[in-house]
Amino acid sequence: MITLSDPAVSSPPVDPAPAQATDGLQLRSLTKVLGGRRIIDSLDLTVERGELVSLLGPSGCGKTTTLRMIAGFLTPDDGDILMAGRDVTRLGPDRRPSAMVFQNYALWPHMTVMKNVAYPLRVRRRPRAEVAQRVEVVLELVNLLHHKDSRPPRISGGEQQRVALARALVQEPEVLLLDEPLSNLDAQLRVKVREEIRELQQRLGITTVIVTHDQEEAMSISDRVAVMNAGRIEQFSTPVELYRHPETEFVGTFIGTLNRVEGAFDGERVVAGDGVVGVRPEDVVYSAQPRAGAVPAVVERVVPHGHFHEVRVRRDDVTLSAFVSGSAPAVGEAGFATIDAALIYRDGRLVRRVERAVR
Ligand SMILES: Nc1ncnc2c1ncn2[C@@H]1O[C@H](COP(=O)(O)OP(=O)(O)OP(=O)(O)O)[C@@H](O)[C@H]1O
Ligand SMILES: [Mg+2]
């Protein structure tokens, strides 16, 4: 027998959180018009002190524009920016308790690593002895002391990235801002460096905002992820919540893989209906043998991914992707498949998540 779970997961995709004070970072109704378009549209976001939040979204959705406003390089047309409870909206970048790491690092090629890192303190005319001491501490923190006399063109991409990070950290910011900090690194190094950044961020307890369009990166290092679409935040949740309860169809399809079928779900089959049924591939369970509640399914295609296979099965009139570990079924095999959980959307919004009761 099949029963449906409680429809208790739905909430509006954008809920303008009441403006409570935080000693982290707060954006209130932030708006930016560029070239006659509202690039950022009344955006609200609260990042708690010590939290790491990613701004994640497709190219052109406004991530960099948002970060540049937070950093003070771009003036909002409307709204407020608060850092550690203080309104910084009208302060320039140097007067804000924030520091930014740029996508291209923006290091001075002719200056040594040490001088690059010292630069923001020199600009602020800090005493020479203090500068030397703080630079030493921060270079030690990012494991670059041995390169202090090298020039950026002579060190690796990963090391340059750490110089840029050190140059931000040396300012002892309350809020650390990073725009696509790993996009210039190869895949392996990207994973290593993102873990280093997360480890350091947690050790220092520093409020951090990272801009990325790489969902795996965002999901693996963030406390919470703000998924952006066309200048707005579609959902702001923990990675697990984003994946399990994507509140809009956009988030559901943007995060991970989602089988998307028009219709309704009766707890067993997709039937005619006026909504959209979204099913994660791991919730499509294929087996060669019949099981309770399983529907006949034919294997149409098998795509190996190393440690698992993506198997496309045709059930009734619907093709679904399933993730299968272990040995792969043969194409053309006639087996059985269940839909163990489905996300039900209407007008792009999550109405409820339905689970199969009998497993
Ligand atoms: N100075 C400008 N004048 C007009 N439009 C602009 C300007 N700067 C940015 N835009 C537009 O604003 C939108 C958001 O740009 P933004 O750089 O914030 O996107 P993004 O999310 O960082 O994208 P990406 O992932 O490609 O870096 C884009 O459509 C861009 O073309
Ligand atoms: Mg960008």
Side-chain angles (χ1 to χ4, degrees):
M1 206 193 74
I2 307 287
T3 56
L4 305 183
S5 68
D6 268 335
V9 294
S10 172
S11 63
V14 180
D15 46 18
Q20 302 161 315
T22 172
D23 50 3
L25 167 71
Q26 192 166 25
L27 310 181
R28 294 201 298 221
S29 307
L30 207 61
T31 298
K32 185 70 194 175
V33 178
L34 286 170
R37 280 200 303 137
R38 280 171 99 83
I39 301 298
I40 301 300
D41 190 9
S42 195
L43 185 140
D44 292 297
L45 181 72
T46 299
V47 181
E48 299 300 340
R49 190 190 186 105
E51 196 178 23
L52 189 157
V53 164
S54 293
L55 302 182
L56 173 69
S59 186
C61 71
K63 305 180 295 293
T64 296
T65 304
T66 304
L67 202 72
R68 289 175 63 83
M69 285 194 280
I70 301 172
F73 295 109
L74 202 57
T75 312
D77 290 305
D78 204 359
D80 307 302
I81 301 167
L82 284 83
M83 286 179 186
R86 206 154 60 90
D87 188 334
V88 299
T89 319
R90 262 149 277 284
L91 301 181
D94 308 344
R95 314 255 326 272
R96 295 187 185 195
S98 56
M100 178 140 160
V101 176
F102 296 91
Q103 181 168 4
N104 59 5
Y105 313 146
L107 301 174
W108 301 105
H110 61 285
M111 284 186 194
T112 63
V113 163
M114 194 163 58
K115 289 206 163 134
N116 265 283
V117 174
Y119 189 79
L121 301 181
R122 302 293 291 270
V123 169
R124 282 167 208 173
R125 303 189 188 287
R126 306 306 305 168
R128 206 167 272 271
E130 181 199 321
V131 173
Q133 192 259 337
R134 274 165 71 173
V135 169
E136 176 115 358
V137 167
V138 87
L139 283 178
E140 169 109 60
L141 208 58
V142 299
N143 288 319
L144 270 184
L145 218 40
H146 59 292
H147 269 313
K148 67 178 165 47
D149 297 319
S150 310
R151 279 167 226 281
R154 291 294 168 87
I155 61 177
S156 74
E159 287 162 347
Q160 289 177 34
Q161 207 284 336
R162 270 146 56 199
V163 177
L165 184 62
R167 190 180 52 184
L169 291 176
V170 82
Q171 302 168 54
E172 299 177 352
E174 301 258 3
V175 178
L176 178 64
L177 306 168
L178 305 103
D179 190 359
E180 305 268 2
L182 308 172
S183 60
N184 291 331
L185 308 178
D186 64 54
Q188 253 183 2
L189 198 55
R190 218 155 41 217
V191 172
K192 182 169 171 281
V193 175
R194 83 184 181 206
E195 277 163 15
E196 284 171 6
I197 290 177
R198 175 56 159 166
E199 200 272 325
L200 208 55
Q201 180 269 335
Q202 285 184 315
R203 186 141 51 100
L204 302 174
I206 186 165
T207 310
T208 301
V209 179
I210 296 188
V211 159
T212 179
H213 60 259
D214 180 336
Q215 54 155 301
E216 195 206 315
E217 187 176 304
M219 300 288 269
S220 60
I221 61 170
S222 311
D223 294 301
R224 286 188 291 172
V225 178
V227 180
M228 288 183 66
N229 181 24
R232 305 183 66 102
I233 293 177
E234 290 256 334
Q235 187 171 351
F236 182 39
S237 305
T238 62
V240 170
E241 189 64 14
L242 271 184
Y243 190 78
R244 276 185 62 81
H245 295 295
E247 285 167 6
T248 64
E249 233 183 288
F250 174 85
V251 174
T253 47
F254 190 74
I255 307 282
T257 308
L258 192 73
N259 292 291
R260 186 187 167 286
V261 188
E262 278 172 31
F265 185 61
D266 70 1
E268 190 173 312
R269 294 177 134 95
V270 178
V271 294
D274 61 354
V276 166
V277 180
V279 188
R280 295 285 189 207
E282 58 271 32
D283 292 325
V284 179
V285 179
Y286 173 82
S287 61
Q289 306 305 322
R291 289 174 306 123
V295 174
V298 176
V299 176
E300 283 191 329
R301 203 167 133 76
V302 177
V303 183
H305 283 267
H307 59 297
F308 71 97
H309 303 275
E310 185 191 342
V311 175
R312 285 199 211 130
V313 297
R314 188 139 190 98
R315 252 181 54 128
D316 298 329
D317 281 335
V318 175
T319 297
L320 298 170
S321 274
F323 290 159
V324 174
S325 53
S327 58
V331 172
E333 183 180 285
F336 300 86
T338 56
I339 294 176
D340 283 7
L343 300 157
I344 311 301
Y345 292 97
R346 196 151 300 143
D347 298 326
R349 300 249 187 115
L350 183 65
V351 182
R352 62 177 177 275
R353 187 174 189 277
V354 177
E355 287 193 23
R356 226 165 59 92
V358 177
R359 296 289 175 108

